[in-house]
Protein backbone atom coordinates (compact mmCIF):
# COMPACT_ATOMS: atom_id res chain seq x y z
CA UNK A 1 0.00 0.00 0.00
CA UNK A 2 2.81 2.38 0.87
CA UNK A 3 4.83 1.67 -2.23
CA UNK A 4 3.10 3.43 -5.10
CA UNK A 5 2.77 1.42 -8.29
CA UNK A 6 4.16 3.03 -11.44
CA UNK A 7 1.55 4.45 -13.82
CA UNK A 8 0.00 1.49 -15.58
CA UNK A 9 -1.23 1.01 -19.09
CA UNK A 10 -4.91 1.42 -20.00
CA UNK A 11 -5.44 -2.29 -20.44
CA UNK A 12 -3.73 -3.05 -17.18
CA UNK A 13 -5.92 -0.59 -15.29
CA UNK A 14 -9.11 -1.64 -17.06
CA UNK A 15 -8.47 -5.25 -16.08
CA UNK A 16 -8.23 -4.25 -12.43
CA UNK A 17 -11.51 -2.32 -12.32
CA UNK A 18 -14.30 -3.87 -10.25
CA UNK A 19 -16.97 -4.17 -12.97
CA UNK A 20 -18.16 -3.24 -16.47
CA UNK A 21 -19.77 -0.06 -15.21
CA UNK A 22 -16.41 1.12 -13.89
CA UNK A 23 -14.74 0.10 -17.16
CA UNK A 24 -17.28 2.06 -19.20
CA UNK A 25 -16.73 5.11 -16.98
CA UNK A 26 -12.97 4.74 -17.37
CA UNK A 27 -13.23 4.57 -21.17
CA UNK A 28 -15.35 7.73 -21.27
CA UNK A 29 -13.03 9.52 -18.87
CA UNK A 30 -10.01 8.72 -21.03
CA UNK A 31 -11.89 9.97 -24.09
CA UNK A 32 -12.58 13.25 -22.27
CA UNK A 33 -8.90 13.54 -21.45
CA UNK A 34 -7.83 12.79 -25.02
CA UNK A 35 -10.23 15.43 -26.32
CA UNK A 36 -8.75 17.99 -23.96
CA UNK A 37 -5.21 17.18 -25.09
CA UNK A 38 -6.19 17.46 -28.76
CA UNK A 39 -8.14 20.69 -28.22
CA UNK A 40 -5.09 22.31 -26.69
CA UNK A 41 -3.25 21.96 -29.98
CA UNK A 42 -5.83 24.26 -31.58
CA UNK A 43 -5.21 28.00 -31.17
CA UNK A 44 -6.23 29.09 -27.63
CA UNK A 45 -9.69 30.56 -27.33
CA UNK A 46 -9.55 34.05 -25.90
CA UNK A 47 -11.91 33.57 -22.94
CA UNK A 48 -9.89 33.27 -19.73
CA UNK A 49 -12.45 31.90 -17.22
CA UNK A 50 -13.16 28.88 -19.39
CA UNK A 51 -15.17 26.11 -17.72
CA UNK A 52 -13.15 23.28 -16.25
CA UNK A 53 -12.72 20.47 -18.78
CA UNK A 54 -14.82 17.38 -18.15
CA UNK A 55 -11.83 15.13 -17.52
CA UNK A 56 -10.90 17.20 -14.46
CA UNK A 57 -14.20 16.38 -12.77
CA UNK A 58 -13.53 12.74 -13.68
CA UNK A 59 -10.12 13.11 -12.05
CA UNK A 60 -11.78 14.25 -8.79
CA UNK A 61 -14.53 11.62 -8.73
CA UNK A 62 -12.51 8.58 -9.90
CA UNK A 63 -12.53 6.94 -6.47
CA UNK A 64 -16.26 6.37 -6.29
CA UNK A 65 -16.51 5.25 -9.92
CA UNK A 66 -13.47 2.99 -10.14
CA UNK A 67 -12.90 1.93 -6.53
CA UNK A 68 -10.19 3.23 -4.25
CA UNK A 69 -7.71 0.51 -5.19
CA UNK A 70 -7.59 1.51 -8.84
CA UNK A 71 -8.14 5.24 -8.29
CA UNK A 72 -4.46 6.24 -8.11
CA UNK A 73 -3.68 4.57 -11.43
CA UNK A 74 -6.87 5.85 -13.10
CA UNK A 75 -6.19 9.43 -12.02
CA UNK A 76 -2.55 9.30 -13.06
CA UNK A 77 -3.53 7.96 -16.48
CA UNK A 78 -6.09 10.74 -16.94
CA UNK A 79 -3.39 13.32 -16.25
CA UNK A 80 -1.06 11.69 -18.75
CA UNK A 81 -3.75 11.26 -21.38
CA UNK A 82 -4.78 14.92 -21.04
CA UNK A 83 -1.12 15.92 -21.21
CA UNK A 84 -1.64 18.17 -18.19
CA UNK A 85 0.90 20.98 -18.01
CA UNK A 86 2.66 22.10 -14.85
CA UNK A 87 0.12 24.85 -14.24
CA UNK A 88 -2.78 22.39 -14.37
CA UNK A 89 -0.93 19.83 -12.28
CA UNK A 90 -0.21 22.48 -9.67
CA UNK A 91 -3.82 23.59 -9.50
CA UNK A 92 -5.15 20.03 -9.29
CA UNK A 93 -2.63 19.29 -6.54
CA UNK A 94 -3.49 22.42 -4.55
CA UNK A 95 -7.23 21.86 -4.87
CA UNK A 96 -6.96 18.11 -4.42
CA UNK A 97 -7.78 15.68 -1.63
CA UNK A 98 -4.87 13.58 -0.40
CA UNK A 99 -5.79 10.90 -2.96
CA UNK A 100 -5.83 13.40 -5.84
CA UNK A 101 -2.51 14.86 -4.72
CA UNK A 102 -0.98 11.40 -4.72
CA UNK A 103 -2.04 10.88 -8.33
CA UNK A 104 -0.46 14.17 -9.40
CA UNK A 105 2.81 13.13 -7.77
CA UNK A 106 2.70 9.73 -9.45
CA UNK A 107 2.19 11.32 -12.87
CA UNK A 108 5.00 13.89 -12.60
CA UNK A 109 7.77 11.78 -14.16
CA UNK A 110 5.62 11.17 -17.24
CA UNK A 111 4.59 14.79 -17.70
CA UNK A 112 7.23 17.23 -16.48
CA UNK A 113 10.76 17.29 -17.87
CA UNK A 114 12.38 20.00 -15.77
CA UNK A 115 12.46 20.83 -12.06
CA UNK A 116 9.48 23.24 -12.23
CA UNK A 117 7.14 20.87 -10.38
CA UNK A 118 9.47 20.28 -7.43
CA UNK A 119 7.40 22.64 -5.20
CA UNK A 120 4.67 19.96 -5.26
CA UNK A 121 7.15 17.30 -4.17
CA UNK A 122 8.45 19.62 -1.45
CA UNK A 123 4.90 20.21 -0.25
CA UNK A 124 4.19 16.48 -0.02
CA UNK A 125 7.46 15.87 1.81
CA UNK A 126 6.48 18.42 4.45
CA UNK A 127 3.38 16.38 5.36
CA UNK A 128 3.24 13.40 7.68
CA UNK A 129 0.92 11.47 5.39
CA UNK A 130 2.99 8.40 4.53
CA UNK A 131 1.07 7.70 1.34
CA UNK A 132 1.85 11.19 0.06
CA UNK A 133 5.47 10.90 1.08
CA UNK A 134 5.77 7.55 -0.69
CA UNK A 135 4.28 9.02 -3.87
CA UNK A 136 6.61 12.02 -3.65
CA UNK A 137 9.89 10.07 -3.67
CA UNK A 138 9.39 8.46 -7.07
CA UNK A 139 11.44 8.94 -10.25
CA UNK A 140 10.61 12.66 -10.50
CA UNK A 141 12.19 13.32 -7.10
CA UNK A 142 15.17 11.17 -8.05
CA UNK A 143 15.70 13.25 -11.17
CA UNK A 144 15.05 16.74 -9.85
CA UNK A 145 15.43 17.14 -6.10
CA UNK A 146 18.56 18.97 -4.99
CA UNK A 147 21.01 16.81 -3.01
CA UNK A 148 19.95 18.48 0.25
CA UNK A 149 16.22 18.00 -0.36
CA UNK A 150 16.72 14.44 -1.59
CA UNK A 151 18.74 13.43 1.49
CA UNK A 152 16.05 14.85 3.75
CA UNK A 153 13.44 12.94 1.77
CA UNK A 154 15.31 9.69 2.43
CA UNK A 155 15.52 10.50 6.13
CA UNK A 156 11.85 11.46 6.19
CA UNK A 157 11.00 8.01 4.85
CA UNK A 158 13.05 6.38 7.60
CA UNK A 159 11.41 8.58 10.26
CA UNK A 160 7.85 7.97 9.12
CA UNK A 161 8.19 4.29 8.26
CA UNK A 162 7.85 4.65 4.48
CA UNK A 163 9.77 1.67 3.07
CA UNK A 164 12.86 2.72 1.13
CA UNK A 165 11.66 0.59 -1.78
CA UNK A 166 9.46 3.63 -2.49
CA UNK A 167 12.53 5.80 -3.13
CA UNK A 168 13.30 5.71 -6.84
CA UNK A 169 16.90 5.33 -7.87
CA UNK A 170 18.00 5.01 -4.26
CA UNK A 171 21.10 2.95 -5.01
CA UNK A 172 22.34 5.28 -7.76
CA UNK A 173 21.82 8.53 -5.85
CA UNK A 174 23.07 7.17 -2.54
CA UNK A 175 26.30 5.72 -3.95
CA UNK A 176 29.26 7.72 -2.72
CA UNK A 177 27.05 10.32 -0.98
CA UNK A 178 29.21 11.06 2.08
CA UNK A 179 26.78 13.65 3.41
CA UNK A 180 23.88 11.18 3.28
CA UNK A 181 26.09 8.62 4.98
CA UNK A 182 26.87 11.13 7.74
CA UNK A 183 23.17 11.94 8.23
CA UNK A 184 22.21 8.25 8.33
CA UNK A 185 25.01 7.46 10.76
CA UNK A 186 23.90 10.31 13.02
CA UNK A 187 20.34 9.01 12.90
CA UNK A 188 21.61 5.53 13.72
CA UNK A 189 23.63 6.88 16.64
CA UNK A 190 20.58 8.71 17.97
CA UNK A 191 18.51 5.54 17.84
CA UNK A 192 21.24 3.49 19.47
CA UNK A 193 21.59 6.08 22.24
CA UNK A 194 17.84 5.83 22.85
CA UNK A 195 18.07 2.04 23.06
CA UNK A 196 16.13 1.60 19.84
CA UNK A 197 16.65 -0.92 17.08
CA UNK A 198 18.15 0.09 13.76
CA UNK A 199 15.71 -0.75 11.01
CA UNK A 200 16.73 -2.93 8.12
CA UNK A 201 16.08 0.01 5.80
CA UNK A 202 18.47 2.23 7.74
CA UNK A 203 21.27 -0.35 7.56
CA UNK A 204 20.50 -0.92 3.90
CA UNK A 205 20.72 2.80 3.07
CA UNK A 206 24.01 3.09 4.92
CA UNK A 207 25.38 0.20 2.93
CA UNK A 208 24.25 1.76 -0.34
CA UNK A 209 26.24 4.91 0.31
CA UNK A 210 29.37 2.76 0.24
CA UNK A 211 30.88 5.22 2.66
CA UNK A 212 32.46 3.62 5.71
CA UNK A 213 30.94 4.94 8.94
CA UNK A 214 31.51 4.13 12.58
CA UNK A 215 28.01 2.67 12.94
CA UNK A 216 27.46 -1.05 12.33
CA UNK B 1 -20.17 -4.98 17.95
CA UNK B 2 -19.65 -2.56 15.06
CA UNK B 3 -20.28 1.11 15.61
CA UNK B 4 -20.59 4.02 13.18
CA UNK B 5 -20.40 7.44 14.84
CA UNK B 6 -22.29 9.62 12.35
CA UNK B 7 -21.25 12.94 13.89
CA UNK B 8 -17.90 13.51 15.59
CA UNK B 9 -15.27 16.24 15.25
CA UNK B 10 -12.09 14.15 15.26
CA UNK B 11 -9.93 17.16 14.37
CA UNK B 12 -10.36 18.15 18.02
CA UNK B 13 -9.57 14.69 19.42
CA UNK B 14 -6.35 12.86 20.21
CA UNK B 15 -4.93 9.60 18.95
CA UNK B 16 -5.79 8.10 22.37
CA UNK B 17 -9.41 8.72 21.43
CA UNK B 18 -8.99 6.92 18.12
CA UNK B 19 -7.43 3.98 19.94
CA UNK B 20 -10.20 3.84 22.56
CA UNK B 21 -12.88 4.19 19.89
CA UNK B 22 -11.45 1.30 17.90
CA UNK B 23 -11.31 -0.82 21.04
CA UNK B 24 -14.97 0.06 21.75
CA UNK B 25 -16.02 -1.12 18.29
CA UNK B 26 -16.04 2.12 16.31
CA UNK B 27 -15.11 1.31 12.71
CA UNK B 28 -16.49 4.34 10.87
CA UNK B 29 -17.02 8.02 11.56
CA UNK B 30 -18.44 11.02 9.75
CA UNK B 31 -16.88 14.35 10.64
CA UNK B 32 -19.09 17.34 9.85
CA UNK B 33 -17.43 20.66 9.18
CA UNK B 34 -18.30 23.05 11.96
CA UNK B 35 -17.21 25.97 14.07
CA UNK B 36 -13.71 25.67 15.50
CA UNK B 37 -14.40 27.49 18.76
CA UNK B 38 -12.40 30.47 17.55
CA UNK B 39 -14.06 32.53 14.81
CA UNK B 40 -12.40 32.34 11.41
CA UNK B 41 -11.61 35.55 9.60
CA UNK B 42 -11.37 34.48 5.96
CA UNK B 43 -12.47 31.81 3.48
CA UNK B 44 -8.87 30.57 3.24
CA UNK B 45 -9.12 29.37 6.81
CA UNK B 46 -12.13 27.24 5.83
CA UNK B 47 -10.29 25.80 2.84
CA UNK B 48 -7.40 24.62 5.01
CA UNK B 49 -9.95 23.03 7.34
CA UNK B 50 -11.80 21.33 4.47
CA UNK B 51 -8.46 20.09 3.09
CA UNK B 52 -7.64 18.60 6.49
CA UNK B 53 -11.01 16.80 6.50
CA UNK B 54 -10.15 15.40 3.05
CA UNK B 55 -6.53 14.58 3.77
CA UNK B 56 -4.87 14.48 7.14
CA UNK B 57 -7.84 13.41 9.25
CA UNK B 58 -8.82 10.37 7.12
CA UNK B 59 -5.15 9.40 7.15
CA UNK B 60 -5.07 9.61 10.94
CA UNK B 61 -8.29 7.62 11.24
CA UNK B 62 -7.08 4.93 8.84
CA UNK B 63 -4.04 4.33 11.02
CA UNK B 64 -6.45 3.27 13.74
CA UNK B 65 -8.57 1.09 11.45
CA UNK B 66 -11.43 3.61 11.26
CA UNK B 67 -13.09 4.75 8.02
CA UNK B 68 -13.40 8.54 7.92
CA UNK B 69 -15.80 10.54 5.76
CA UNK B 70 -16.86 14.14 6.09
CA UNK B 71 -19.68 16.55 5.45
CA UNK B 72 -18.74 20.05 4.30
CA UNK B 73 -20.56 23.36 4.63
CA UNK B 74 -20.49 26.88 5.93
CA UNK B 75 -21.73 26.44 9.50
CA UNK B 76 -24.72 28.46 10.80
CA UNK B 77 -22.73 30.57 13.24
CA UNK B 78 -20.20 31.80 10.69
CA UNK B 79 -22.88 32.21 8.03
CA UNK B 80 -23.49 35.49 9.89
CA UNK B 81 -19.98 36.81 9.28
CA UNK B 82 -19.61 38.54 5.89
CA UNK B 83 -15.88 37.75 5.98
CA UNK B 84 -16.78 34.04 5.77
CA UNK B 85 -19.80 33.87 3.46
CA UNK B 86 -17.70 33.76 0.22
CA UNK B 87 -17.04 30.14 1.23
CA UNK B 88 -20.44 29.36 -0.28
CA UNK B 89 -19.11 30.17 -3.76
CA UNK B 90 -16.23 27.71 -3.40
CA UNK B 91 -18.23 24.85 -1.88
CA UNK B 92 -19.14 23.23 -5.21
CA UNK B 93 -15.54 22.28 -5.94
CA UNK B 94 -15.36 20.58 -2.54
CA UNK B 95 -18.75 18.85 -2.67
CA UNK B 96 -17.62 16.67 -5.60
CA UNK B 97 -14.86 15.01 -3.56
CA UNK B 98 -15.00 11.24 -3.04
CA UNK B 99 -15.14 11.24 0.76
CA UNK B 100 -17.82 13.95 1.10
CA UNK B 101 -21.02 12.11 2.03
CA UNK B 102 -23.34 15.04 2.85
CA UNK B 103 -23.63 18.80 3.04
CA UNK B 104 -23.36 19.83 6.68
CA UNK B 105 -23.61 20.96 9.37
CA UNK B 106 -26.07 23.50 8.13
CA UNK B 107 -29.11 24.90 9.95
CA UNK B 108 -29.83 27.61 12.45
CA UNK B 109 -27.87 29.09 15.30
CA UNK B 110 -29.47 32.45 16.13
CA UNK B 111 -32.13 32.28 13.39
CA UNK B 112 -31.03 35.34 11.46
CA UNK B 113 -31.76 36.31 7.83
CA UNK B 114 -28.14 35.46 6.93
CA UNK B 115 -28.73 31.96 8.31
CA UNK B 116 -31.93 31.67 6.25
CA UNK B 117 -29.94 32.44 3.12
CA UNK B 118 -27.07 30.07 3.89
CA UNK B 119 -29.41 27.21 4.83
CA UNK B 120 -31.52 27.52 1.70
CA UNK B 121 -28.47 27.89 -0.55
CA UNK B 122 -26.77 24.84 0.92
CA UNK B 123 -29.88 22.63 0.76
CA UNK B 124 -29.92 23.51 -2.93
CA UNK B 125 -26.21 22.61 -3.20
CA UNK B 126 -26.97 19.23 -1.62
CA UNK B 127 -29.72 18.59 -4.16
CA UNK B 128 -27.44 19.68 -7.02
CA UNK B 129 -24.61 17.38 -5.93
CA UNK B 130 -26.66 14.26 -5.19
CA UNK B 131 -25.83 14.56 -1.50
CA UNK B 132 -28.01 14.28 1.59
CA UNK B 133 -27.83 17.06 4.21
CA UNK B 134 -26.94 17.06 7.89
CA UNK B 135 -29.02 19.77 9.52
CA UNK B 136 -28.09 20.93 12.98
CA UNK B 137 -31.06 22.11 15.07
CA UNK B 138 -30.39 25.15 17.27
CA UNK B 139 -29.59 24.92 20.95
CA UNK B 140 -31.54 28.04 21.95
CA UNK B 141 -35.26 28.33 21.24
CA UNK B 142 -35.09 24.75 20.02
CA UNK B 143 -38.69 23.91 19.10
CA UNK B 144 -39.27 27.17 17.22
CA UNK B 145 -35.93 26.55 15.52
CA UNK B 146 -37.01 23.08 14.49
CA UNK B 147 -40.23 24.34 12.93
CA UNK B 148 -38.42 27.06 11.04
CA UNK B 149 -35.84 24.48 9.88
CA UNK B 150 -38.59 22.16 8.65
CA UNK B 151 -40.25 25.01 6.73
CA UNK B 152 -37.01 25.71 4.88
CA UNK B 153 -36.37 22.01 4.21
CA UNK B 154 -39.88 21.57 2.80
CA UNK B 155 -39.44 24.56 0.51
CA UNK B 156 -36.10 23.24 -0.73
CA UNK B 157 -35.30 20.90 -3.62
CA UNK B 158 -33.97 18.32 -1.17
CA UNK B 159 -36.47 15.59 -0.19
CA UNK B 160 -37.02 15.00 3.54
CA UNK B 161 -35.79 11.41 3.10
CA UNK B 162 -32.38 12.88 2.30
CA UNK B 163 -32.28 15.15 5.34
CA UNK B 164 -30.97 14.33 8.82
CA UNK B 165 -32.11 16.57 11.68
CA UNK B 166 -29.51 16.44 14.43
CA UNK B 167 -29.26 17.32 18.13
CA UNK B 168 -32.89 16.36 18.70
CA UNK B 169 -34.34 15.83 22.17
CA UNK B 170 -37.66 15.03 23.84
CA UNK B 171 -39.11 18.42 22.95
CA UNK B 172 -38.36 18.17 19.24
CA UNK B 173 -38.42 14.46 18.39
CA UNK B 174 -42.15 14.15 17.74
CA UNK B 175 -42.32 16.99 15.20
CA UNK B 176 -39.08 15.80 13.61
CA UNK B 177 -40.37 12.22 13.33
CA UNK B 178 -43.61 13.44 11.70
CA UNK B 179 -41.63 15.31 9.07
CA UNK B 180 -40.19 12.15 7.51
CA UNK B 181 -36.59 13.32 8.02
CA UNK B 182 -33.92 11.10 9.56
CA UNK B 183 -33.49 11.71 13.29
CA UNK B 184 -30.13 12.33 14.93
CA UNK B 185 -29.39 12.42 18.66
CA UNK B 186 -26.18 13.68 20.24
CA UNK B 187 -25.38 12.03 23.53
CA UNK B 188 -23.30 14.23 25.79
CA UNK B 189 -21.90 14.00 29.31
CA UNK B 190 -24.10 16.83 30.57
CA UNK B 191 -25.95 18.71 27.86
CA UNK B 192 -28.05 17.51 24.90
CA UNK B 193 -29.18 13.87 25.44
CA UNK B 194 -27.94 11.36 28.01
CA UNK B 195 -27.78 7.59 27.67
CA UNK B 196 -30.93 6.69 29.63
CA UNK B 197 -33.05 9.34 27.96
CA UNK B 198 -31.78 8.08 24.62
CA UNK B 199 -32.96 4.56 25.42
CA UNK B 200 -36.37 5.95 26.38
CA UNK B 201 -36.65 7.77 23.05
CA UNK B 202 -35.77 4.53 21.23
CA UNK B 203 -38.47 2.71 23.21
CA UNK B 204 -41.05 5.33 22.28
CA UNK B 205 -40.13 5.98 18.66
CA UNK B 206 -38.53 2.68 17.61
CA UNK B 207 -35.22 2.18 15.86
CA UNK B 208 -36.18 3.21 12.34
CA UNK B 209 -34.46 6.30 10.86
CA UNK B 210 -32.76 7.04 14.21
CA UNK B 211 -29.03 7.79 14.42
CA UNK B 212 -27.06 8.24 17.64
CA UNK B 213 -23.80 10.18 17.78
CA UNK B 214 -21.31 11.49 20.31
CA UNK B 215 -20.86 14.85 18.54
CA UNK B 216 -17.56 14.88 20.44
CA UNK B 217 -15.53 18.02 19.79
CA UNK B 218 -13.30 20.46 21.68
CA UNK B 219 -15.89 20.90 24.46
CA UNK B 220 -16.79 18.57 27.28
CA UNK B 221 -17.83 15.49 25.34
CA UNK B 222 -17.05 11.79 25.11
CA UNK B 223 -16.24 9.87 21.91
CA UNK B 224 -17.31 6.59 23.55
CA UNK B 225 -20.93 7.67 24.12
CA UNK B 226 -22.06 5.64 21.11
CA UNK B 227 -20.82 2.47 22.77
CA UNK B 228 -22.46 3.49 26.04
CA UNK B 229 -25.80 3.83 24.28
CA UNK B 230 -25.32 0.41 22.67
CA UNK B 231 -24.66 -1.16 26.07
CA UNK B 232 -27.62 0.67 27.63
CA UNK B 233 -29.87 -0.55 24.80
CA UNK B 234 -28.83 -4.16 25.44
CA UNK B 235 -29.33 -3.74 29.18
CA UNK B 236 -32.83 -2.38 28.49
CA UNK B 237 -33.75 -5.46 26.48
CA UNK B 238 -33.06 -4.36 22.92
CA UNK B 239 -31.55 -7.08 20.73
CA UNK B 240 -28.13 -7.16 19.08
CA UNK B 241 -29.93 -6.58 15.81
CA UNK B 242 -31.61 -3.42 17.19
CA UNK B 243 -28.22 -2.13 18.31
CA UNK B 244 -26.65 -2.92 14.95
CA UNK B 245 -29.48 -1.13 13.20
CA UNK B 246 -29.19 2.10 15.22
CA UNK B 247 -25.42 2.20 15.51
CA UNK B 248 -24.40 0.81 12.13
CA UNK B 249 -27.07 0.14 9.50
CA UNK B 250 -28.98 3.42 9.93
CA UNK B 251 -25.93 5.67 9.48
CA UNK B 252 -24.75 3.47 6.59
CA UNK B 253 -28.18 3.85 4.95
CA UNK B 254 -28.33 7.61 5.45
CA UNK B 255 -24.82 8.52 4.32
CA UNK B 256 -24.99 5.75 1.72
CA UNK B 257 -27.52 7.98 -0.06
CA UNK B 258 -24.44 9.84 -1.34
CA UNK B 259 -23.20 6.76 -3.19
CA UNK B 260 -19.75 7.58 -1.85
CA UNK B 261 -19.51 5.64 1.40
CA UNK B 262 -16.54 3.27 1.56
CA UNK B 263 -16.20 1.21 4.70
CA UNK B 264 -13.48 -1.29 3.80
CA UNK B 265 -10.59 0.37 5.59
CA UNK B 266 -7.90 -2.25 6.11
CA UNK B 267 -6.56 -2.67 9.61
CA UNK B 268 -3.11 -1.14 9.29
CA UNK B 269 -0.05 -3.24 10.11
CA UNK B 270 1.22 -0.30 12.09
CA UNK B 271 -1.59 -0.85 14.58
CA UNK B 272 -0.02 -4.16 15.44
CA UNK B 273 3.66 -3.31 15.17
CA UNK B 274 3.86 -0.09 17.18
CA UNK B 275 5.38 1.46 14.08
CA UNK B 276 6.51 5.07 14.19
CA UNK B 277 4.04 5.83 11.38
CA UNK B 278 1.51 6.24 14.13
CA UNK B 279 3.41 9.20 15.46
CA UNK B 280 4.31 10.61 12.06
CA UNK B 281 7.94 10.64 13.10
CA UNK B 282 9.78 10.60 16.36
ZN1 LIG C 1 -21.18 19.06 15.47
Amino acid sequence: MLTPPPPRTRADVAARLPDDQARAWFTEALADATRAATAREAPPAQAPPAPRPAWQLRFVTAGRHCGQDAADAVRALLLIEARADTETLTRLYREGSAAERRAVLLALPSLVDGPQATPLVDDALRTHDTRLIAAAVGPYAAAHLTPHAWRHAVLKCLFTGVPLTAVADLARRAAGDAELARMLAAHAAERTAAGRELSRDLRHALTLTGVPTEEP
Amino acid sequence: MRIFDPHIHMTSRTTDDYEAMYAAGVRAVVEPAFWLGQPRTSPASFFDYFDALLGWEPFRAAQYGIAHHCTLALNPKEANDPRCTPVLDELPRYLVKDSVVAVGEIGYDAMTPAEDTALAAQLQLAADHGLPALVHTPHRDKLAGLHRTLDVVRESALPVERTLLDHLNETTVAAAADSGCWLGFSVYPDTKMDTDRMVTVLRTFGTERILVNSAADWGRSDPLKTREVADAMLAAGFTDDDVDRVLWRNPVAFYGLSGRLRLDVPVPDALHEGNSVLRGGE
Side-chain angles (χ1 to χ4, degrees), chain A residues 57 60-64 68 75 94-98 100-101 128-131 158-162 191 196, chain B residues 51 54-56 59 63 93-99 258-260 262 264 266 275-277 279-282:
Chain A
L57 181 62
V60 173
T61 61
R64 56 186 178 270
Q68 298 296 327
R75 288 190 171 111
R94 297 227 167 108
E95 295 182 355
S97 64
E100 293 158 43
R101 290 178 184 196
H128 276 308
D129 183 331
T130 48
R131 295 183 65 191
L158 291 170
F159 270 71
T160 54
V162 172
R191 288 195 68 90
R196 295 200 170 117
Chain B
D51 287 346
L54 295 165
W56 180 236
F59 173 73
Q63 286 178 296
R93 77 174 164 91
Y94 280 101
L95 295 181
V96 294
K97 302 291 185 189
D98 275 334
S99 63
S258 68
R260 307 185 198 175
R262 183 181 65 98
D264 53 342
N275 192 303
S276 66
V277 172
R279 287 168 36 76
E282 290 165 85

Side-chain angles (χ1 to χ4, degrees), chain B residues 18 28 73 142 153 278-279:
Chain B
Y18 270 124
K142 209 167 180 65
V153 168
L278 289 174
R279 287 168 36 76

Side-chain angles (χ1 to χ4, degrees), chain A residues 186-209:
Chain A
H187 176 43
E190 201 183 333
R191 288 195 68 90
T192 307
R196 295 200 170 117
E197 300 264 296
L198 300 190
S199 68
R200 215 168 351 143
D201 267 358
L202 175 50
R203 292 174 189 278
H204 176 57
L206 267 168
T207 311
L208 286 177
T209 64

Side-chain angles (χ1 to χ4, degrees), chain A residues 117-156:
Chain A
T118 48
L120 305 185
V121 175
D122 294 337
D123 180 88
L125 289 172
R126 280 192 297 271
T127 72
H128 276 308
D129 183 331
T130 48
R131 295 183 65 191
L132 273 174
I133 294 169
V137 292
Y140 185 81
H144 298 295
L145 283 191
T146 63
H148 179 82
W150 186 80
R151 290 175 193 129
H152 273 275
V154 173
L155 246 75
K156 182 93 183 219

Side-chain angles (χ1 to χ4, degrees), chain B residues 7-9 32-35 105 134 136 166-167 186 188 192 213 215-217:
Chain B
H7 183 154
I8 184 165
H9 302 285
F34 201 53
W35 190 52
E105 300 177 52
L134 169 59
H136 152 117
D166 212 343
H167 310 320
S186 303
Y188 257 39
K192 302 193 172 89
N213 61 73
D217 56 14

Side-chain angles (χ1 to χ4, degrees), chain A residues 21 51 56 63-64 74 80 86 97 103 113 132-133 147 161 164-165 182 193 199:
Chain A
Q21 210 182 337
Q56 293 187 17
R64 56 186 178 270
V74 167
I80 293 165
T86 304
S97 64
D113 286 331
L132 273 174
I133 294 169
L164 288 188
T165 48
R182 183 197 63 75
S199 68

